[in-house]
Amino acid sequence: MNHAPTAPTRNTKVMDRFDLTKRLVARLKNEEAVIGGIGNTNFDLWTAGHRPQNFYMLGSMGLAFPIALGAALAQPSRHIFALEGDGSLLMQLGCLATIASLAPKNLTMIVMDNGIYQITGAQPTPAATVSDIVAIATGAGLTQSTWAADEDDFERLIDNALTNDGPNFIAVRIDDKPGAGTTDRDPVQIRQRFMLGLGVRKQI
Amino acid sequence: MAEAAAEPTSSRAWHEIVLQTLKKNDIRLVPYVPDRVLTTLIKNIHADPFFTTFPTAREEEAVGIVSGAWMGGMRGAVLMQTSGFATLPNALASLALPYQIPLIMFVSERGTLGEFNYGQSLVCRTMRPVLDSLAMEHHTMTRLDELEFTVDRSIKQAIATQAPVALILSPLLTGGKVFTA
Ligand SMILES: Cc1ncc(C[n+]2csc(CCOP(=O)(O)OP(=O)(O)O)c2C)c(N)n1
């Protein structure tokens, strides 16, 4: 019958989403765009301090990477980051193959892996104890996919991503804490500010 | 219409009109999940360096991609089949509509006018009620002589009003997928 799977042994430190988000944002000096996925990833991005180049996704679970891919294709000279939860990514794994096939140099995907759907009550995801998200990404053709071992390693990987040709895929193991705040839920304003931040629209 | 006079509509196939109207409106990004009826259109879009076109694993993904591209200043359109549209209500209601993104969709209509797969015919019945329940603009294109006008005006309206539009390619226009009973 069903055996409880044993979690694979990992050498990756369990980190804090909000702390890592702040570390990412602190390293952005060239108006890089950041797409926050549903729930906690965009809550922490918002709470880390709003930037005009941030986009906060209020629904459409799983579409943070596709949205980032579109922005990366539209603006090849701007680096685009996307923050996604592991549960959200599981909903749209096919996008990893699409991104691998297009291979945008200016795209970096970051997965915040807590093994749970934190925001809906911390239920484990089907992948929680059995799947390796970096192996999935590598198998999809994203050859530059890696776990961040700890905070210093995460910062090193971000710095690499900013100088090397992407696409880059960085997974981090995080604890089960909720987001550090909540984004102002005004989709039209979020979209308009983002377009201003990307230089697509001018303030009137 | 001056353009129509220069090149009579009747001499062009429906897929040529769609391709040229996309181009005319600077729609460069065309992700798709294929449908048999879209084969020639997809092949010709691939052959034209004006376009960035590629398959996606799911239609939702394509919606995310063109939404991100729109916000980054690049226009796009998504090609799909009726069954693909049926996977989209969540992305329409939580992304394209509330963020006011002019998502342009071409839906090749399966499930009617000679459908042979019962499941396809049931899926097809969900499409217009979903579009109507979200008060989305949609047009069913049945006639070659109206096609350029409908596509061109609908694209311009979507962009001007920042609202999604579904352009449904009827079997009356495309011939649909034929089977012999
Ligand atoms: C299509 C869809 N299914 C389910 C939900 C409900 N839902 C919202 S957030 C979420 C969990 C997200 O999990 P994850 O991406 O891992 O982020 P976490 O909450 O763990 O930070 C779920 C199931 C939804 N919004 N959309």
Side-chain angles (χ1 to χ4, degrees):
Chain A
M1 288 301 295
N2 279 342
H3 297 284
T6 40
T9 319
R10 302 182 201 263
N11 59 0
T12 41
K13 184 179 168 190
V14 176
M15 296 177 266
D16 175 302
R17 188 192 316 97
F18 185 46
D19 173 61
L20 293 170
T21 306
K22 283 187 290 188
R23 287 172 192 262
L24 166 69
V25 169
R27 307 188 96 69
L28 305 180
K29 309 281 186 237
N30 294 301
E31 302 192 348
E32 293 86 352
V34 188
I35 314 295
I38 193 172
N40 293 322
T41 48
N42 87 70
F43 291 175
D44 279 357
L45 179 63
W46 167 267
T47 312
H50 174 68
R51 308 161 57 248
Q53 295 79 28
N54 287 357
F55 181 78
Y56 312 95
M57 213 181 71
L58 302 178
S60 61
M61 183 171 169
L63 292 190
F65 290 174
I67 291 170
L69 170 61
L73 293 172
Q75 300 210 348
S77 54
R78 184 190 303 274
H79 203 101
I80 316 287
F81 288 85
L83 304 169
E84 191 65 295
D86 54 329
S88 296
L89 177 60
L90 285 174
M91 197 165 272
Q92 206 65 240
L93 284 178
C95 79
L96 299 179
T98 310
I99 293 167
S101 74
L102 290 161
K105 292 188 170 114
N106 57 329
L107 178 62
T108 299
M109 296 155 273
I110 300 173
V111 181
M112 301 287 185
D113 184 4
N114 51 14
I116 54 176
Y117 301 107
Q118 195 285 329
I119 205 163
T120 52
Q123 305 86 347
T125 73
T129 53
V130 289
S131 313
D132 182 314
I133 278 173
V134 168
I136 290 172
T138 307
L142 294 166
T143 50
Q144 299 178 96
S145 301
T146 185
W147 287 101
D150 56 21
E151 289 83 357
D152 287 346
D153 195 33
F154 177 75
E155 293 190 337
R156 185 185 62 79
L157 290 166
I158 297 299
D159 289 343
N160 269 354
L162 285 167
T163 48
N164 295 354
D165 282 351
N168 307 286
F169 183 99
I170 303 168
V172 293
R173 282 213 296 149
I174 58 162
D175 60 32
D176 60 359
K177 278 207 286 293
T182 41
T183 308
D184 275 1
R185 291 189 182 89
D186 184 339
V188 170
Q189 198 185 157
I190 289 171
R191 197 256 309 133
Q192 176 69 3
R193 283 194 306 220
F194 185 59
M195 292 177 84
L196 288 166
L198 295 197
V200 172
R201 296 235 164 125
K202 298 220 182 333
Q203 193 78 55
I204 42 166
Chain B
M1 291 190 300
E3 306 92 339
E7 194 173 359
T9 300
S10 57
S11 74
R12 293 182 291 160
W14 70 267
H15 51 82
E16 293 174 289
I17 295 173
V18 169
L19 185 147
Q20 286 160 11
T21 311
L22 290 174
K23 247 176 140 161
K24 183 170 135 191
N25 285 282
D26 198 34
I27 304 224
R28 291 172 182 273
L29 185 65
V30 188
Y32 61 86
V33 178
D35 169 72
R36 162 78 71 185
V37 165
L38 297 170
T39 306
T40 309
L41 176 60
I42 290 169
K43 185 164 69 67
N44 293 347
I45 290 176
H46 270 284
D48 189 330
F50 175 84
F51 295 104
T52 300
T53 188
F54 49 87
T56 60
R58 282 180 72 78
E59 292 78 4
E60 265 191 307
E61 202 194 317
V63 167
I65 291 166
V66 297
S67 298
W70 163 256
M71 295 189 285
M74 185 185 203
R75 294 180 181 182
V78 181
L79 313 181
M80 69 190 85
Q81 185 186 86
T82 337
S83 52
F85 179 83
T87 68
L88 289 183
N90 186 51
L92 299 175
S94 66
L95 181 66
L97 288 158
Y99 287 86
Q100 295 184 1
I101 290 167
L103 168 67
I104 295 156
M105 294 175 286
F106 287 87
V107 187
S108 168
E109 189 174 21
R110 276 286 305 268
T112 185
L113 298 172
E115 181 56 60
F116 48 89
N117 179 337
Y118 183 42
Q120 285 279 3
S121 69
L122 293 175
V123 169
C124 182
R125 286 176 210 163
T126 69
M127 177 165 60
R128 289 176 185 83
V130 166
L131 288 162
D132 290 336
S133 70
L134 292 168
M136 277 179 60
E137 184 87 7
H138 62 90
H139 296 283
T140 301
M141 299 174 298
T142 59
R143 292 174 56 104
L144 202 56
D145 61 348
E146 295 177 355
L147 180 62
E148 180 173 5
F149 189 93
T150 309
V151 174
D152 185 54
R153 294 293 179 96
S154 296
I155 291 172
K156 288 181 164 70
Q157 178 173 331
I159 290 167
T161 63
Q162 304 195 112
V165 63
L167 296 167
I168 301 162
L169 299 159
S170 165
L172 286 165
L173 179 77
T174 63
K177 189 171 174 181
V178 185
F179 92 116
T180 40

